[in-house]
Amino acid sequence: IKEYGVEFAQVYPLGSGIPGRGGKYFVYSGSYKSTQVPIRNDLMLINHTHPRGTAYPSLTDREVLEKFELAGSPQRVSEIIPIGKNTTIKFDKNNIR
């Protein structure tokens, strides 16, 4: 992923099973600093990369989770994969968890 130098986001549209099982994962690619994903009540942002290795959520990252919540999605926590680091960062609309 580092070789592409862009942010990727993995999303999961909820399936028809309980609770939301049976969906499929999709990957969106964006620019070096952002990725656009649709905000829907049946979609969850599983994780996204930070290609420059930033290991904390931006204000925009937190706002996206709030938008998912307002849209009716069960989404409350997501994860950042900072490229070049050996860790992942879980965060919610307020901050790092």
Side-chain angles (χ1 to χ4, degrees):
I1 293 176
K2 187 174 186 175
E3 66 192 56
Y4 296 106
V6 299
E7 190 170 291
F8 290 94
Q10 180 180 215
V11 299
Y12 179 79
L14 300 174
S16 58
I18 298 172
R21 292 185 178 150
K24 297 179 181 179
Y25 290 88
F26 293 91
V27 175
Y28 287 84
S29 65
S31 70
Y32 71 95
K33 65 180 184 173
S34 70
T35 303
Q36 298 289 324
V37 295
I39 306 294
R40 303 188 326 231
N41 67 343
D42 67 339
L43 192 70
M44 294 184 17
L45 174 64
I46 302 303
N47 55 36
H48 70 284
T49 63
H50 279 181
R52 295 183 290 174
T54 306
Y56 57 86
S58 68
L59 176 60
T60 302
D61 291 336
R62 296 190 317 267
E63 288 173 345
V64 165
L65 284 190
E66 186 169 25
K67 288 177 183 179
F68 272 109
E69 183 178 343
L70 292 172
S73 170
Q75 177 86 50
R76 296 297 178 270
V77 177
S78 189
E79 190 174 63
I80 294 168
I81 303 168
I83 302 305
K85 305 236 175 14
N86 266 348
T87 189
T88 59
I89 309 299
K90 290 186 188 284
F91 70 101
D92 61 26
K93 68 180 182 181
N94 298 310
N95 214 337
I96 295 173
R97 292 191 124 210

